[in-house]
mmCIF file of all heavy atoms in Angstrom:
data_model
loop_
_atom_site.group_PDB
_atom_site.id
_atom_site.type_symbol
_atom_site.label_atom_id
_atom_site.label_comp_id
_atom_site.label_asym_id
_atom_site.label_seq_id
_atom_site.Cartn_x
_atom_site.Cartn_y
_atom_site.Cartn_z
ATOM 1 N N GLY T 1 115.800 101.019 109.417
ATOM 2 C CA GLY T 1 116.841 101.560 108.553
ATOM 3 C C GLY T 1 116.352 101.730 107.126
ATOM 4 O O GLY T 1 116.646 102.721 106.468
ATOM 5 N N TYR T 2 115.566 100.780 106.669
ATOM 6 C CA TYR T 2 115.054 100.799 105.302
ATOM 7 C C TYR T 2 114.125 101.990 105.074
ATOM 8 O O TYR T 2 114.163 102.621 104.023
ATOM 9 C CB TYR T 2 114.305 99.490 105.056
ATOM 10 C CG TYR T 2 114.119 99.128 103.619
ATOM 11 C CD1 TYR T 2 115.149 98.566 102.879
ATOM 12 C CD2 TYR T 2 112.893 99.325 102.998
ATOM 13 C CE1 TYR T 2 114.977 98.224 101.558
ATOM 14 C CE2 TYR T 2 112.707 98.984 101.670
ATOM 15 C CZ TYR T 2 113.753 98.426 100.958
ATOM 16 O OH TYR T 2 113.574 98.090 99.648
ATOM 17 N N ILE T 3 113.299 102.311 106.053
ATOM 18 C CA ILE T 3 112.320 103.397 105.887
ATOM 19 C C ILE T 3 113.006 104.751 105.740
ATOM 20 O O ILE T 3 112.459 105.677 105.142
ATOM 21 C CB ILE T 3 111.284 103.384 107.046
ATOM 22 C CG1 ILE T 3 110.028 104.180 106.664
ATOM 23 C CG2 ILE T 3 111.861 103.925 108.334
ATOM 24 C CD1 ILE T 3 109.240 103.585 105.549
ATOM 25 N N LYS T 4 114.227 104.852 106.216
ATOM 26 C CA LYS T 4 114.972 106.119 106.095
ATOM 27 C C LYS T 4 115.279 106.469 104.643
ATOM 28 O O LYS T 4 115.563 107.630 104.337
ATOM 29 C CB LYS T 4 116.259 106.064 106.921
ATOM 30 C CG LYS T 4 115.986 106.093 108.410
ATOM 31 C CD LYS T 4 117.260 106.016 109.219
ATOM 32 C CE LYS T 4 116.925 105.994 110.708
ATOM 33 N NZ LYS T 4 118.127 105.984 111.523
ATOM 34 N N LYS T 5 115.214 105.489 103.742
ATOM 35 C CA LYS T 5 115.384 105.782 102.317
ATOM 36 C C LYS T 5 114.247 106.650 101.800
ATOM 37 O O LYS T 5 114.406 107.391 100.844
ATOM 38 C CB LYS T 5 115.427 104.483 101.502
ATOM 39 C CG LYS T 5 116.646 103.659 101.747
ATOM 40 C CD LYS T 5 116.802 102.422 100.881
ATOM 41 C CE LYS T 5 115.640 101.907 100.120
ATOM 42 N NZ LYS T 5 115.914 100.650 99.393
ATOM 43 N N TYR T 6 113.099 106.555 102.442
ATOM 44 C CA TYR T 6 111.909 107.270 101.984
ATOM 45 C C TYR T 6 111.536 108.454 102.875
ATOM 46 O O TYR T 6 110.963 109.422 102.393
ATOM 47 C CB TYR T 6 110.714 106.313 101.907
ATOM 48 C CG TYR T 6 110.932 105.203 100.923
ATOM 49 C CD1 TYR T 6 111.273 103.928 101.341
ATOM 50 C CD2 TYR T 6 110.821 105.443 99.561
ATOM 51 C CE1 TYR T 6 111.475 102.907 100.425
ATOM 52 C CE2 TYR T 6 111.026 104.428 98.634
ATOM 53 C CZ TYR T 6 111.351 103.165 99.082
ATOM 54 O OH TYR T 6 111.565 102.166 98.165
ATOM 55 N N ILE T 7 111.821 108.347 104.141
ATOM 56 C CA ILE T 7 111.477 109.415 105.082
ATOM 57 C C ILE T 7 112.779 109.985 105.620
ATOM 58 O O ILE T 7 113.419 109.393 106.495
ATOM 59 C CB ILE T 7 110.578 108.904 106.230
ATOM 60 C CG1 ILE T 7 109.297 108.272 105.660
ATOM 61 C CG2 ILE T 7 110.243 110.040 107.191
ATOM 62 C CD1 ILE T 7 108.407 107.614 106.701
ATOM 63 N N ASN T 8 113.169 111.114 105.083
ATOM 64 C CA ASN T 8 114.441 111.737 105.424
ATOM 65 C C ASN T 8 114.526 112.031 106.930
ATOM 66 O O ASN T 8 113.650 112.672 107.487
ATOM 67 C CB ASN T 8 114.612 113.034 104.624
ATOM 68 C CG ASN T 8 115.983 113.613 104.772
ATOM 69 O OD1 ASN T 8 116.965 112.903 104.963
ATOM 70 N ND2 ASN T 8 116.059 114.929 104.690
ATOM 71 N N GLY T 9 115.571 111.527 107.554
ATOM 72 C CA GLY T 9 115.800 111.791 108.970
ATOM 73 C C GLY T 9 114.896 111.029 109.911
ATOM 74 O O GLY T 9 114.804 111.352 111.094
ATOM 75 N N TYR T 10 114.212 109.995 109.419
ATOM 76 C CA TYR T 10 113.242 109.273 110.247
ATOM 77 C C TYR T 10 113.856 108.826 111.568
ATOM 78 O O TYR T 10 114.960 108.313 111.627
ATOM 79 C CB TYR T 10 112.682 108.055 109.508
ATOM 80 C CG TYR T 10 111.703 107.300 110.368
ATOM 81 C CD1 TYR T 10 110.419 107.785 110.550
ATOM 82 C CD2 TYR T 10 112.078 106.160 111.055
ATOM 83 C CE1 TYR T 10 109.524 107.128 111.374
ATOM 84 C CE2 TYR T 10 111.195 105.492 111.876
ATOM 85 C CZ TYR T 10 109.917 105.986 112.035
ATOM 86 O OH TYR T 10 109.038 105.349 112.864
ATOM 87 N N SER T 11 113.100 109.028 112.624
ATOM 88 C CA SER T 11 113.510 108.625 113.963
ATOM 89 C C SER T 11 112.254 108.383 114.788
ATOM 90 O O SER T 11 111.194 108.939 114.495
ATOM 91 C CB SER T 11 114.346 109.743 114.602
ATOM 92 O OG SER T 11 114.579 109.466 115.953
ATOM 93 N N THR T 12 112.378 107.595 115.825
ATOM 94 C CA THR T 12 111.238 107.369 116.708
ATOM 95 C C THR T 12 111.257 108.308 117.911
ATOM 96 O O THR T 12 110.422 108.176 118.806
ATOM 97 C CB THR T 12 111.205 105.907 117.203
ATOM 98 O OG1 THR T 12 112.443 105.615 117.855
ATOM 99 C CG2 THR T 12 110.976 104.943 116.053
ATOM 100 N N ASN T 13 112.190 109.261 117.913
ATOM 101 C CA ASN T 13 112.183 110.197 119.045
ATOM 102 C C ASN T 13 111.050 111.204 118.869
ATOM 103 O O ASN T 13 110.600 111.489 117.762
ATOM 104 C CB ASN T 13 113.552 110.873 119.248
ATOM 105 C CG ASN T 13 113.849 111.920 118.196
ATOM 106 O OD1 ASN T 13 113.015 112.759 117.869
ATOM 107 N ND2 ASN T 13 115.056 111.874 117.661
ATOM 108 N N GLU T 14 110.570 111.721 119.978
ATOM 109 C CA GLU T 14 109.385 112.580 119.955
ATOM 110 C C GLU T 14 109.588 113.860 119.164
ATOM 111 O O GLU T 14 108.641 114.360 118.552
ATOM 112 C CB GLU T 14 108.924 112.874 121.387
ATOM 113 C CG GLU T 14 108.403 111.613 122.036
ATOM 114 C CD GLU T 14 107.394 111.869 123.134
ATOM 115 O OE1 GLU T 14 106.674 112.878 123.068
ATOM 116 O OE2 GLU T 14 107.338 111.036 124.038
ATOM 117 N N ASN T 15 110.795 114.406 119.138
ATOM 118 C CA ASN T 15 111.039 115.616 118.353
ATOM 119 C C ASN T 15 110.752 115.381 116.875
ATOM 120 O O ASN T 15 110.160 116.219 116.210
ATOM 121 C CB ASN T 15 112.470 116.125 118.542
ATOM 122 C CG ASN T 15 112.681 116.735 119.904
ATOM 123 O OD1 ASN T 15 111.745 117.250 120.519
ATOM 124 N ND2 ASN T 15 113.908 116.675 120.394
ATOM 125 N N PHE T 16 111.185 114.236 116.349
ATOM 126 C CA PHE T 16 110.900 113.932 114.954
ATOM 127 C C PHE T 16 109.415 113.641 114.749
ATOM 128 O O PHE T 16 108.797 114.136 113.808
ATOM 129 C CB PHE T 16 111.728 112.746 114.445
ATOM 130 C CG PHE T 16 111.402 112.410 113.023
ATOM 131 C CD1 PHE T 16 111.982 113.114 111.986
ATOM 132 C CD2 PHE T 16 110.473 111.429 112.722
ATOM 133 C CE1 PHE T 16 111.652 112.843 110.669
ATOM 134 C CE2 PHE T 16 110.129 111.150 111.406
ATOM 135 C CZ PHE T 16 110.730 111.866 110.388
ATOM 136 N N LEU T 17 108.847 112.835 115.620
ATOM 137 C CA LEU T 17 107.459 112.411 115.451
ATOM 138 C C LEU T 17 106.477 113.580 115.495
ATOM 139 O O LEU T 17 105.402 113.504 114.908
ATOM 140 C CB LEU T 17 107.096 111.361 116.502
ATOM 141 C CG LEU T 17 107.878 110.042 116.407
ATOM 142 C CD1 LEU T 17 107.532 109.139 117.565
ATOM 143 C CD2 LEU T 17 107.640 109.351 115.078
ATOM 144 N N LYS T 18 106.830 114.656 116.175
ATOM 145 C CA LYS T 18 105.953 115.825 116.257
ATOM 146 C C LYS T 18 105.906 116.630 114.961
ATOM 147 O O LYS T 18 104.982 117.398 114.743
ATOM 148 C CB LYS T 18 106.394 116.744 117.396
ATOM 149 C CG LYS T 18 106.086 116.189 118.761
ATOM 150 C CD LYS T 18 106.559 117.144 119.840
ATOM 151 C CE LYS T 18 106.313 116.555 121.220
ATOM 152 N NZ LYS T 18 106.787 117.451 122.275
ATOM 153 N N LYS T 19 106.891 116.442 114.100
ATOM 154 C CA LYS T 19 106.923 117.168 112.826
ATOM 155 C C LYS T 19 105.795 116.662 111.932
ATOM 156 O O LYS T 19 105.522 115.469 111.882
ATOM 157 C CB LYS T 19 108.271 116.966 112.125
ATOM 158 C CG LYS T 19 109.435 117.517 112.889
ATOM 159 C CD LYS T 19 110.729 117.210 112.175
ATOM 160 C CE LYS T 19 111.921 117.668 112.994
ATOM 161 N NZ LYS T 19 113.190 117.294 112.360
ATOM 162 N N ASP T 20 105.165 117.566 111.211
ATOM 163 C CA ASP T 20 104.065 117.134 110.362
ATOM 164 C C ASP T 20 104.462 116.914 108.906
ATOM 165 O O ASP T 20 103.706 116.326 108.143
ATOM 166 C CB ASP T 20 102.888 118.095 110.455
ATOM 167 C CG ASP T 20 103.209 119.476 109.915
ATOM 168 O OD1 ASP T 20 104.365 119.760 109.588
ATOM 169 O OD2 ASP T 20 102.260 120.281 109.821
ATOM 170 N N THR T 21 105.642 117.327 108.512
ATOM 171 C CA THR T 21 106.018 117.216 107.091
ATOM 172 C C THR T 21 106.077 115.761 106.627
ATOM 173 O O THR T 21 105.614 115.445 105.528
ATOM 174 C CB THR T 21 107.366 117.905 106.816
ATOM 175 O OG1 THR T 21 108.340 117.392 107.718
ATOM 176 C CG2 THR T 21 107.259 119.404 106.977
ATOM 177 N N TRP T 22 106.627 114.881 107.422
ATOM 178 C CA TRP T 22 106.734 113.488 107.008
ATOM 179 C C TRP T 22 105.356 112.829 106.967
ATOM 180 O O TRP T 22 105.093 111.985 106.110
ATOM 181 C CB TRP T 22 107.714 112.718 107.896
ATOM 182 C CG TRP T 22 107.265 112.468 109.302
ATOM 183 C CD1 TRP T 22 107.330 113.328 110.351
ATOM 184 C CD2 TRP T 22 106.685 111.266 109.801
ATOM 185 N NE1 TRP T 22 106.816 112.730 111.485
ATOM 186 C CE2 TRP T 22 106.417 111.465 111.164
ATOM 187 C CE3 TRP T 22 106.362 110.038 109.225
ATOM 188 C CZ2 TRP T 22 105.840 110.490 111.964
ATOM 189 C CZ3 TRP T 22 105.787 109.060 110.023
ATOM 190 C CH2 TRP T 22 105.539 109.298 111.375
ATOM 191 N N VAL T 23 104.451 113.248 107.843
ATOM 192 C CA VAL T 23 103.095 112.697 107.847
ATOM 193 C C VAL T 23 102.334 113.184 106.609
ATOM 194 O O VAL T 23 101.631 112.416 105.957
ATOM 195 C CB VAL T 23 102.343 113.075 109.140
ATOM 196 C CG1 VAL T 23 100.906 112.586 109.103
ATOM 197 C CG2 VAL T 23 103.074 112.524 110.356
ATOM 198 N N LYS T 24 102.491 114.457 106.278
ATOM 199 C CA LYS T 24 101.833 114.990 105.078
ATOM 200 C C LYS T 24 102.310 114.244 103.832
ATOM 201 O O LYS T 24 101.523 113.969 102.927
ATOM 202 C CB LYS T 24 102.100 116.483 104.947
ATOM 203 C CG LYS T 24 101.327 117.299 105.957
ATOM 204 C CD LYS T 24 101.653 118.778 105.831
ATOM 205 C CE LYS T 24 100.902 119.571 106.878
ATOM 206 N NZ LYS T 24 101.277 120.994 106.858
ATOM 207 N N GLU T 25 103.580 113.908 103.789
ATOM 208 C CA GLU T 25 104.106 113.145 102.657
ATOM 209 C C GLU T 25 103.492 111.742 102.610
ATOM 210 O O GLU T 25 103.141 111.244 101.533
ATOM 211 C CB GLU T 25 105.629 113.063 102.715
ATOM 212 C CG GLU T 25 106.263 112.319 101.577
ATOM 213 C CD GLU T 25 105.948 112.886 100.188
ATOM 214 O OE1 GLU T 25 105.730 114.115 100.058
ATOM 215 O OE2 GLU T 25 105.908 112.087 99.232
ATOM 216 N N LEU T 26 103.320 111.111 103.769
ATOM 217 C CA LEU T 26 102.670 109.797 103.796
ATOM 218 C C LEU T 26 101.251 109.887 103.235
ATOM 219 O O LEU T 26 100.811 109.002 102.502
ATOM 220 C CB LEU T 26 102.600 109.254 105.231
ATOM 221 C CG LEU T 26 103.869 108.712 105.858
ATOM 222 C CD1 LEU T 26 103.596 108.264 107.287
ATOM 223 C CD2 LEU T 26 104.467 107.582 105.056
ATOM 224 N N LEU T 27 100.542 110.950 103.576
ATOM 225 C CA LEU T 27 99.161 111.104 103.106
ATOM 226 C C LEU T 27 99.069 111.144 101.587
ATOM 227 O O LEU T 27 98.058 110.719 101.014
ATOM 228 C CB LEU T 27 98.523 112.358 103.712
ATOM 229 C CG LEU T 27 98.239 112.290 105.203
ATOM 230 C CD1 LEU T 27 97.768 113.644 105.723
ATOM 231 C CD2 LEU T 27 97.223 111.204 105.528
ATOM 232 N N ASN T 28 100.124 111.617 100.926
ATOM 233 C CA ASN T 28 100.135 111.632 99.460
ATOM 234 C C ASN T 28 100.137 110.223 98.867
ATOM 235 O O ASN T 28 99.832 110.056 97.690
ATOM 236 C CB ASN T 28 101.362 112.388 98.939
ATOM 237 C CG ASN T 28 101.281 113.863 99.215
ATOM 238 O OD1 ASN T 28 100.197 114.437 99.295
ATOM 239 N ND2 ASN T 28 102.427 114.499 99.383
ATOM 240 N N HIS T 29 100.496 109.242 99.660
ATOM 241 C CA HIS T 29 100.614 107.860 99.184
ATOM 242 C C HIS T 29 99.691 106.906 99.955
ATOM 243 O O HIS T 29 99.891 105.697 99.923
ATOM 244 C CB HIS T 29 102.060 107.374 99.326
ATOM 245 C CG HIS T 29 103.054 108.268 98.674
ATOM 246 N ND1 HIS T 29 103.297 108.240 97.322
ATOM 247 C CD2 HIS T 29 103.850 109.240 99.183
ATOM 248 C CE1 HIS T 29 104.213 109.145 97.023
ATOM 249 N NE2 HIS T 29 104.565 109.762 98.135
ATOM 250 N N MET T 30 98.694 107.452 100.633
ATOM 251 C CA MET T 30 97.838 106.652 101.515
ATOM 252 C C MET T 30 97.093 105.549 100.769
ATOM 253 O O MET T 30 96.963 104.440 101.277
ATOM 254 C CB MET T 30 96.843 107.562 102.220
ATOM 255 C CG MET T 30 95.972 106.843 103.227
ATOM 256 S SD MET T 30 96.863 106.260 104.669
ATOM 257 C CE MET T 30 97.053 107.803 105.526
ATOM 258 N N ASP T 31 96.621 105.834 99.581
ATOM 259 C CA ASP T 31 95.888 104.801 98.840
ATOM 260 C C ASP T 31 96.760 103.574 98.578
ATOM 261 O O ASP T 31 96.289 102.445 98.687
ATOM 262 C CB ASP T 31 95.356 105.356 97.519
ATOM 263 C CG ASP T 31 94.211 106.321 97.739
ATOM 264 O OD1 ASP T 31 93.357 106.053 98.600
ATOM 265 O OD2 ASP T 31 94.191 107.353 97.054
ATOM 266 N N ASN T 32 98.034 103.802 98.234
ATOM 267 C CA ASN T 32 98.952 102.679 98.023
ATOM 268 C C ASN T 32 99.077 101.836 99.288
ATOM 269 O O ASN T 32 98.988 100.609 99.240
ATOM 270 C CB ASN T 32 100.343 103.179 97.630
ATOM 271 C CG ASN T 32 100.374 103.802 96.264
ATOM 272 O OD1 ASN T 32 99.556 103.502 95.411
ATOM 273 N ND2 ASN T 32 101.327 104.695 96.055
ATOM 274 N N ALA T 33 99.295 102.488 100.401
ATOM 275 C CA ALA T 33 99.485 101.774 101.662
ATOM 276 C C ALA T 33 98.222 101.005 102.050
ATOM 277 O O ALA T 33 98.295 99.863 102.501
ATOM 278 C CB ALA T 33 99.882 102.747 102.763
ATOM 279 N N TYR T 34 97.077 101.626 101.862
ATOM 280 C CA TYR T 34 95.809 100.971 102.191
ATOM 281 C C TYR T 34 95.640 99.695 101.363
ATOM 282 O O TYR T 34 95.379 98.621 101.919
ATOM 283 C CB TYR T 34 94.646 101.940 101.953
ATOM 284 C CG TYR T 34 93.300 101.282 102.043
ATOM 285 C CD1 TYR T 34 92.765 100.932 103.280
ATOM 286 C CD2 TYR T 34 92.564 100.992 100.905
ATOM 287 C CE1 TYR T 34 91.534 100.307 103.373
ATOM 288 C CE2 TYR T 34 91.334 100.378 100.980
ATOM 289 C CZ TYR T 34 90.823 100.036 102.220
ATOM 290 O OH TYR T 34 89.604 99.410 102.301
ATOM 291 N N GLN T 35 95.801 99.807 100.060
ATOM 292 C CA GLN T 35 95.621 98.640 99.190
ATOM 293 C C GLN T 35 96.645 97.553 99.499
ATOM 294 O O GLN T 35 96.311 96.363 99.551
ATOM 295 C CB GLN T 35 95.720 99.056 97.714
ATOM 296 C CG GLN T 35 94.604 99.966 97.250
ATOM 297 C CD GLN T 35 93.216 99.370 97.397
ATOM 298 O OE1 GLN T 35 93.034 98.165 97.294
ATOM 299 N NE2 GLN T 35 92.236 100.218 97.657
ATOM 300 N N ARG T 36 97.875 97.942 99.708
ATOM 301 C CA ARG T 36 98.928 96.958 99.998
ATOM 302 C C ARG T 36 98.725 96.288 101.344
ATOM 303 O O ARG T 36 98.964 95.081 101.486
ATOM 304 C CB ARG T 36 100.290 97.634 99.927
ATOM 305 C CG ARG T 36 100.656 98.046 98.515
ATOM 306 C CD ARG T 36 101.855 98.952 98.477
ATOM 307 N NE ARG T 36 102.163 99.328 97.096
ATOM 308 C CZ ARG T 36 102.882 100.382 96.769
ATOM 309 N NH1 ARG T 36 103.396 101.173 97.711
ATOM 310 N NH2 ARG T 36 103.104 100.660 95.508
ATOM 311 N N SER T 37 98.300 97.032 102.348
ATOM 312 C CA SER T 37 98.109 96.422 103.672
ATOM 313 C C SER T 37 96.956 95.430 103.652
ATOM 314 O O SER T 37 97.000 94.416 104.349
ATOM 315 C CB SER T 37 97.915 97.482 104.753
ATOM 316 O OG SER T 37 96.707 98.195 104.580
ATOM 317 N N LYS T 38 95.930 95.693 102.857
ATOM 318 C CA LYS T 38 94.837 94.718 102.707
ATOM 319 C C LYS T 38 95.318 93.480 101.963
ATOM 320 O O LYS T 38 94.885 92.363 102.251
ATOM 321 C CB LYS T 38 93.672 95.348 101.943
ATOM 322 C CG LYS T 38 92.830 96.255 102.790
ATOM 323 C CD LYS T 38 91.544 96.604 102.098
ATOM 324 C CE LYS T 38 90.668 95.388 102.061
ATOM 325 N NZ LYS T 38 89.248 95.639 102.065
ATOM 326 N N LYS T 39 96.195 93.677 101.018
ATOM 327 C CA LYS T 39 96.695 92.595 100.172
ATOM 328 C C LYS T 39 97.654 91.679 100.936
ATOM 329 O O LYS T 39 97.634 90.460 100.757
ATOM 330 C CB LYS T 39 97.406 93.232 98.973
ATOM 331 C CG LYS T 39 97.929 92.303 97.938
ATOM 332 C CD LYS T 39 98.507 93.158 96.810
ATOM 333 C CE LYS T 39 99.277 92.392 95.808
ATOM 334 N NZ LYS T 39 99.846 93.261 94.765
ATOM 335 N N TYR T 40 98.493 92.260 101.790
ATOM 336 C CA TYR T 40 99.544 91.506 102.480
ATOM 337 C C TYR T 40 99.160 91.261 103.932
ATOM 338 O O TYR T 40 99.649 91.904 104.844
ATOM 339 C CB TYR T 40 100.881 92.250 102.408
ATOM 340 C CG TYR T 40 101.326 92.552 100.996
ATOM 341 C CD1 TYR T 40 101.842 93.785 100.665
ATOM 342 C CD2 TYR T 40 101.225 91.594 99.997
ATOM 343 C CE1 TYR T 40 102.258 94.064 99.371
ATOM 344 C CE2 TYR T 40 101.628 91.861 98.704
ATOM 345 C CZ TYR T 40 102.144 93.103 98.396
ATOM 346 O OH TYR T 40 102.545 93.370 97.121
ATOM 347 N N LYS T 41 98.283 90.287 104.145
ATOM 348 C CA LYS T 41 97.793 89.997 105.498
ATOM 349 C C LYS T 41 98.379 88.710 106.081
ATOM 350 O O LYS T 41 97.990 88.292 107.150
ATOM 351 C CB LYS T 41 96.265 89.904 105.491
ATOM 352 C CG LYS T 41 95.583 91.201 105.136
ATOM 353 C CD LYS T 41 94.092 91.118 105.357
ATOM 354 C CE LYS T 41 93.399 90.669 104.114
ATOM 355 N NZ LYS T 41 91.936 90.748 104.209
ATOM 356 N N ASP T 42 99.308 88.092 105.369
ATOM 357 C CA ASP T 42 99.904 86.832 105.809
ATOM 358 C C ASP T 42 100.726 87.079 107.066
ATOM 359 O O ASP T 42 101.755 87.756 107.028
ATOM 360 C CB ASP T 42 100.776 86.262 104.693
ATOM 361 C CG ASP T 42 101.406 84.931 105.045
ATOM 362 O OD1 ASP T 42 101.324 84.498 106.220
ATOM 363 O OD2 ASP T 42 101.995 84.318 104.144
ATOM 364 N N LYS T 43 100.281 86.542 108.184
ATOM 365 C CA LYS T 43 100.947 86.806 109.462
ATOM 366 C C LYS T 43 102.270 86.048 109.625
ATOM 367 O O LYS T 43 102.932 86.180 110.623
ATOM 368 C CB LYS T 43 99.991 86.525 110.619
ATOM 369 C CG LYS T 43 98.881 87.560 110.684
ATOM 370 C CD LYS T 43 98.118 87.487 111.968
ATOM 371 C CE LYS T 43 97.147 88.591 112.194
ATOM 372 N NZ LYS T 43 96.332 89.060 111.155
ATOM 373 N N THR T 44 102.657 85.239 108.629
ATOM 374 C CA THR T 44 103.985 84.622 108.685
ATOM 375 C C THR T 44 105.036 85.559 108.092
ATOM 376 O O THR T 44 106.226 85.300 108.226
ATOM 377 C CB THR T 44 104.024 83.277 107.930
ATOM 378 O OG1 THR T 44 103.775 83.504 106.541
ATOM 379 C CG2 THR T 44 103.007 82.297 108.503
ATOM 380 N N LEU T 45 104.590 86.634 107.430
ATOM 381 C CA LEU T 45 105.485 87.645 106.869
ATOM 382 C C LEU T 45 105.253 88.952 107.633
ATOM 383 O O LEU T 45 104.493 88.989 108.585
ATOM 384 C CB LEU T 45 105.188 87.841 105.378
ATOM 385 C CG LEU T 45 105.280 86.597 104.498
ATOM 386 C CD1 LEU T 45 104.791 86.909 103.096
ATOM 387 C CD2 LEU T 45 106.707 86.073 104.471
ATOM 388 N N SER T 46 105.882 90.006 107.188
ATOM 389 C CA SER T 46 105.557 91.314 107.764
ATOM 390 C C SER T 46 104.143 91.681 107.328
ATOM 391 O O SER T 46 103.717 91.354 106.221
ATOM 392 C CB SER T 46 106.554 92.368 107.296
ATOM 393 O OG SER T 46 107.828 92.102 107.846
ATOM 394 N N PHE T 47 103.397 92.324 108.224
ATOM 395 C CA PHE T 47 102.025 92.713 107.917
ATOM 396 C C PHE T 47 101.643 93.902 108.793
ATOM 397 O O PHE T 47 102.320 94.234 109.763
ATOM 398 C CB PHE T 47 101.045 91.554 108.163
ATOM 399 C CG PHE T 47 100.845 91.257 109.625
ATOM 400 C CD1 PHE T 47 99.834 91.880 110.340
ATOM 401 C CD2 PHE T 47 101.675 90.380 110.283
ATOM 402 C CE1 PHE T 47 99.663 91.620 111.695
ATOM 403 C CE2 PHE T 47 101.519 90.111 111.639
ATOM 404 C CZ PHE T 47 100.506 90.735 112.348
ATOM 405 N N THR T 48 100.542 94.538 108.428
ATOM 406 C CA THR T 48 99.955 95.573 109.265
ATOM 407 C C THR T 48 98.441 95.520 109.120
ATOM 408 O O THR T 48 97.928 95.213 108.040
ATOM 409 C CB THR T 48 100.475 96.983 108.921
ATOM 410 O OG1 THR T 48 99.906 97.917 109.830
ATOM 411 C CG2 THR T 48 100.155 97.386 107.498
#
């Protein structure tokens, strides 16, 4: 639910996932995600 604030219409159904617009938008912020995912590795919290 929280991710929908950033990705308009986000859904896990295949029709949504096939769209490339939301992925292209993620790519604009990839460096942030990369740095944050390396930083937040504590497996007692959310992590990736």
